[in-house]
Structure formats: C-alpha cells, structure tokens
Amino acid sequence: MAHVQPAHLVELALGNAAPGRELTGALPHIEECDRCRDELRTMTRVVTAARGARLGDLPTAPPERVWRRIARELAHDPGTSRPHTGGTALRPGRSARHRRPKPE
C-alpha cells in the first residue's frame, strides 16, 4: 500500500476521521510504516499543543513605536524600492569581482 495521504493523517491527528475505506487501509499501514507513524505522531503533537494554547502564548503585535520607526526610516530612505547590494553599486555589464574598492 502507498503511504497515507497527508490529509488523512491530519484528520486522524484532529480526531475527525470517520470510518471509511481510506481509514480502514490507513490504520494497518500506519502500524507498519515508520514514516507514516512518525508523521502522525508529529501532527498529533502539533494539534495537542495548538489546542492547549492560551491567549498569552500567542504572538503579539509589536508596539506602535516600532511601526513609527519603520515608517520614519522608510520615508527618509530614497532607495527603499531597490534591493540592497551590500556596498558599491555595479555598473551594467560588470560582475562583483570587478568592483573597485571604495577609497577610505
């Protein structure tokens, strides 16, 4: 038998799997297949952790001062739409190894 479909493993981990043809074949396979058994065990741990999460466990938005600083820095940086090259900009047709060092 092929490995159990990830969607079926998720349903088993959630406890939502209704008896059916797929489940009938999946359970014996999971008992014999290390890969599917490990995947189900991992998914079950994730479900258990998620169900046990409390409001204090959830990430919080950064303080407003962080967003203000980001907005301020973006407003003062005229090159925000261009990717950072890490130093001297390249002229067309030149590779990084042909760059001249910056005078100090």
Side-chain angles (χ1 to χ4, degrees):
M1 177 181 180
H3 291 293
V4 178
Q5 293 292 319
H8 292 132
L9 291 171
V10 168
E11 291 299 323
L12 286 168
L14 290 168
N16 295 339
R21 200 178 311 175
E22 293 90 9
L23 184 59
T24 304
L27 293 177
H29 176 81
I30 291 169
E31 289 176 9
E32 299 295 322
C33 178
D34 290 338
R35 176 179 158 193
C36 289
R37 189 172 47 255
D38 290 344
E39 188 69 21
L40 179 58
R41 187 178 300 123
T42 299
M43 288 182 186
T44 302
R45 282 194 303 239
V46 169
V47 167
T48 301
R51 286 182 174 158
R54 297 193 176 142
L55 187 58
D57 297 330
L58 300 176
T60 58
E64 186 60 34
R65 64 183 164 77
V66 172
W67 294 117
R68 284 193 303 265
R69 183 173 177 186
I70 290 170
R72 188 172 53 250
E73 287 180 14
L74 289 175
H76 290 101
D77 186 1
T80 55
S81 63
R82 291 179 285 164
H84 180 65
T85 60
T88 308
L90 296 176
R91 285 186 264 152
R94 306 238 3 199
S95 69
R97 68 177 191 190
H98 293 109
R99 284 187 191 172
R100 291 185 198 156
K102 283 185 179 180
E104 295 184 22

